[in-house]
Amino acid sequence: MSAAAAARSILTQLHEVMASRLHPQGKLDRVVEIIGENLHSEVCSIYLLREGMLELFATRGLEQSAVHVTRLAVGEGLNGVIADRIETLNLAEAAAHPDFAYRPETGEERFHSFAGVPIVYRERAVGTLCVQHSDPRRYEDVEIEALQTVAMVLSELIAHNGLVDEETGALGEALSGPQMVTGLSLVKGIASGVAVFHQPRIQIDQVVADDIEVERQRVYLAFDKMRDQIEAMASQAEFGTGGEHDEVLQTYKMFAYDEGWSRRINEAIDSGLTAEAAIERVQQRTRMRMREIDDPLLADRMHDLEDLSNRLLRIVSGQLGTAATQGLRRDTILIARNLGPAELLEYDRRRLKGVILEEGSLTAHVVIVARAMGIPVLGRARGIRGIVRDGDEVLLDADKSIVHVRPAQQTLDLFVDRFARTRERQAAYAELRDVEPFTRDGTRIQVMMNAGLRDDIASLPLVGADGVGLFRTEFQFLVSATMPQRERQTRLYRDVLEAAGDKPVVFRTVDIGGDKAVSYIHSEEAENEENPAMGWRALRLALEREGLLKAQARALLEAASGRTLYVMFPMVSEPWEFDAAKAVFDGQLAFLKKRKKILPEAIHYGAMLEVPALAEVLDALLPRISFLSIGTNDLTQFLFAADRANPKLAERYDWVSPAILRFLRRVVLAVEGSGVDLRVCGEMGGRRLEALALLGLGFRKLSITPAAIGPIKELVRKVELAEIGTAMTGWLHSPPPDMRAALQQWADERGIETD
Ligand code: PEP
Ligand code: MG
């Protein structure tokens, strides 16, 4: 008999048992009889997990008195091994296996051969199904296949009849007790909430098919639809989708057209399963095989297949949409393999407290957006999707790069303390909202915020910033699947200006390209850049793609009609680049003037100082600009020749170091007296110790991440500028061995909090 026929014959009978009015134990008793008979096996037993132990729940062939008496720890005996490793055993001589544990009460000594499979529910082993025979023979593949299929059906039967021990879960500690996973902190912060999978797991309601032909047709159509989706994703590359990169898409394609995969699903349908159950069955089998192969590359590809399999399941079951479409009901920590920026933006910001990604990197667009949203993100949390379950409690500590899954009470208590401290601080900062930040000696420091999302502006009054010192216009480009049309740009800029009222907003023209690539702007040469941060990006790209800059210039000029407009160009490396960019604006201005449009009341142009070379030609640049903003993120990566996106270098060089501080001091001196406004808009200004250093260097204007406004205002009020200025001059003249430590000590001695 073929595997399919054997399984089908069993399934038909099981179907009747499942539909019958027997109580759960009665059903299990019938099940072991049916399987034993069909496989001509003297013994068939079912062990289920109860209170962390595998308990014999039903048997044909072993002593009935052993039922609910024989218990094995997970990992103990053959059944324990099957459950522990979620693997199949097929042995001609059971007693010869090193893990064989003899249980006299079962009377199993008469039987030699043994085959067992795990019963898996939601990726966890909840029990085992095994057959035994007195002849010492290995079971045939068809029999094993049939057992596996039956085990799958059983898992549903068991779950629906409340036989799954939810308390202890399945596999020992792995999925029940507290777990800690480490990762890479992508956006700092702490958060708590329940785990929600971005791609919700599919509930399979029916496993046994009523009509095999109907199921076959459903899978066929689902495959078609899935292939269309993959093609569409590939054609729009990274954006508007899940942030999948090319390599993943290629693998998706390979699997989507893989004959073997669809054939195996069809075979599973032949054995009597529904389309959903067949897809899951094949996936389970693949998972089991993969456990035996220890190859990280292959494991990655299996991840891809797993994702695709879930996609197919979602299509076939009609359970489409992400967790965002279903809506968040509680404070949520979102779990995903990867995420696109647009997908992140679909979530309700009030409920979304944190994000944990299995992949992710510091420069991923989604991370830039999450930072702007103030949502902590932990990336590279390997295996998180296998450890956490939907609805589990999760404490995310992106400050320490860890996540606690199902935390113990002690951990919870510690977190409660930390939250309380954070809240206290935030309350103190909130009180500073309407307080103007003056230093102790009465100098007004301008504290502006960095923004980029439409929603950011709403927080402008809340955080009490002096305006927006850096509006990253590229965010709109990053979250969009196609080039944002000029009208859309105008609308955004106008809304931003409206919301900001009389506070200034500095619009930075698009800083895309290089590592912030968008799919709809292509360049052959740029595609394979080895050093994208130093490549075809920002103004370099914008000047070459003049249409892009023209459209943005017009959008900004129109949006600011009747108001003051601040325009800033990123990555200016030589003064002529500034001139060229400004000329584009002048051209658009002339056009609008000719059309008798209402023009901005005033326009101020500025440049970002991110490329060290520009500092050497400030004398030429300063007369042309009205403000200069130092982008310390890029500037320091270029000064130290240290990729800002490389986690290995993230902690290696310090902003508070003689090289950086001396450089910045020279810029302060060069700008002094020129009438040009000078400010810092990189992350450096948002950290207290660094901000203290900047004040000491002579900076009076900072633009920082919104969450830092309160802490920096508080710092400003404690500083005596002359004092820190003198100390800084001394340190720059003869740097102490550890500049940070010296500054820290200085702050500590004056009771200035800096962490
Ligand atoms: C910078 O480089 O410091 C900066 C503010 O710009 P971005 O982080 O967007 O590159
Ligand atoms: Mg920059």
Side-chain angles (χ1 to χ4, degrees), residues 508 511 537 608 610 634 644:
R508 173 173 79 179
D511 184 357
R537 62 173 278 207
M608 282 191 79
E610 308 182 86
D634 275 314
R644 73 191 246 195

PDB file of all heavy atoms in Angstrom, residues 508 511 537 608 610 634 644, ligand 2:
ATOM      1  N   ARG A 508      15.791  69.556   5.302  1.00  0.00           N
ATOM      2  CA  ARG A 508      16.997  69.069   4.619  1.00  0.00           C
ATOM      3  C   ARG A 508      16.549  68.408   3.328  1.00  0.00           C
ATOM      4  O   ARG A 508      15.651  67.552   3.347  1.00  0.00           O
ATOM      5  CB  ARG A 508      17.732  68.050   5.490  1.00  0.00           C
ATOM      6  CG  ARG A 508      18.885  67.417   4.737  1.00  0.00           C
ATOM      7  CD  ARG A 508      19.719  66.553   5.623  1.00  0.00           C
ATOM      8  NE  ARG A 508      19.099  65.251   5.859  1.00  0.00           N
ATOM      9  CZ  ARG A 508      19.660  64.310   6.603  1.00  0.00           C
ATOM     10  NH1 ARG A 508      20.814  64.540   7.198  1.00  0.00           N
ATOM     11  NH2 ARG A 508      19.071  63.158   6.779  1.00  0.00           N
ATOM     12  N   ASP A 511      18.312  63.072   1.523  1.00  0.00           N
ATOM     13  CA  ASP A 511      19.601  62.406   1.751  1.00  0.00           C
ATOM     14  C   ASP A 511      19.372  60.924   1.494  1.00  0.00           C
ATOM     15  O   ASP A 511      19.323  60.117   2.418  1.00  0.00           O
ATOM     16  CB  ASP A 511      20.057  62.662   3.190  1.00  0.00           C
ATOM     17  CG  ASP A 511      21.445  62.078   3.472  1.00  0.00           C
ATOM     18  OD1 ASP A 511      22.018  61.437   2.569  1.00  0.00           O
ATOM     19  OD2 ASP A 511      21.940  62.252   4.589  1.00  0.00           O
ATOM     20  N   ARG A 537      25.338  59.549  -2.999  1.00  0.00           N
ATOM     21  CA  ARG A 537      24.224  59.793  -2.087  1.00  0.00           C
ATOM     22  C   ARG A 537      24.001  61.291  -1.908  1.00  0.00           C
ATOM     23  O   ARG A 537      24.782  62.113  -2.373  1.00  0.00           O
ATOM     24  CB  ARG A 537      24.481  59.120  -0.727  1.00  0.00           C
ATOM     25  CG  ARG A 537      25.700  59.641  -0.018  1.00  0.00           C
ATOM     26  CD  ARG A 537      25.825  59.071   1.380  1.00  0.00           C
ATOM     27  NE  ARG A 537      25.000  59.800   2.322  1.00  0.00           N
ATOM     28  CZ  ARG A 537      25.267  59.893   3.634  1.00  0.00           C
ATOM     29  NH1 ARG A 537      26.321  59.268   4.144  1.00  0.00           N
ATOM     30  NH2 ARG A 537      24.497  60.578   4.434  1.00  0.00           N
ATOM     31  N   MET A 608      25.053  71.333   5.499  1.00  0.00           N
ATOM     32  CA  MET A 608      25.469  70.446   6.591  1.00  0.00           C
ATOM     33  C   MET A 608      26.964  70.254   6.471  1.00  0.00           C
ATOM     34  O   MET A 608      27.491  70.093   5.364  1.00  0.00           O
ATOM     35  CB  MET A 608      24.766  69.100   6.482  1.00  0.00           C
ATOM     36  CG  MET A 608      23.344  69.147   6.983  1.00  0.00           C
ATOM     37  SD  MET A 608      22.644  67.504   7.128  1.00  0.00           S
ATOM     38  CE  MET A 608      23.356  66.936   8.666  1.00  0.00           C
ATOM     39  N   GLU A 610      29.316  67.606   7.122  1.00  0.00           N
ATOM     40  CA  GLU A 610      29.430  66.181   7.439  1.00  0.00           C
ATOM     41  C   GLU A 610      30.703  65.621   6.840  1.00  0.00           C
ATOM     42  O   GLU A 610      31.198  64.583   7.252  1.00  0.00           O
ATOM     43  CB  GLU A 610      28.244  65.403   6.860  1.00  0.00           C
ATOM     44  CG  GLU A 610      26.902  65.963   7.228  1.00  0.00           C
ATOM     45  CD  GLU A 610      25.756  65.135   6.665  1.00  0.00           C
ATOM     46  OE1 GLU A 610      25.363  64.166   7.331  1.00  0.00           O
ATOM     47  OE2 GLU A 610      25.272  65.461   5.556  1.00  0.00           O
ATOM     48  N   ASP A 634      27.645  61.494  10.486  1.00  0.00           N
ATOM     49  CA  ASP A 634      28.486  61.240   9.319  1.00  0.00           C
ATOM     50  C   ASP A 634      29.888  61.810   9.517  1.00  0.00           C
ATOM     51  O   ASP A 634      30.877  61.171   9.165  1.00  0.00           O
ATOM     52  CB  ASP A 634      27.843  61.833   8.062  1.00  0.00           C
ATOM     53  CG  ASP A 634      26.833  60.879   7.449  1.00  0.00           C
ATOM     54  OD1 ASP A 634      27.174  59.680   7.334  1.00  0.00           O
ATOM     55  OD2 ASP A 634      25.729  61.304   7.111  1.00  0.00           O
ATOM     56  N   ARG A 644      29.639  53.992  10.351  1.00  0.00           N
ATOM     57  CA  ARG A 644      28.697  54.193  11.453  1.00  0.00           C
ATOM     58  C   ARG A 644      27.693  53.051  11.582  1.00  0.00           C
ATOM     59  O   ARG A 644      27.016  52.909  12.585  1.00  0.00           O
ATOM     60  CB  ARG A 644      27.973  55.535  11.296  1.00  0.00           C
ATOM     61  CG  ARG A 644      26.928  55.574  10.195  1.00  0.00           C
ATOM     62  CD  ARG A 644      26.453  56.984   9.938  1.00  0.00           C
ATOM     63  NE  ARG A 644      25.052  57.188  10.281  1.00  0.00           N
ATOM     64  CZ  ARG A 644      24.335  58.248   9.889  1.00  0.00           C
ATOM     65  NH1 ARG A 644      24.895  59.211   9.178  1.00  0.00           N
ATOM     66  NH2 ARG A 644      23.089  58.368  10.232  1.00  0.00           N
TER      67      ARG A 644
HETATM   68 MG    MG B   2      24.269  62.614   7.667  1.00  0.00          MG
END
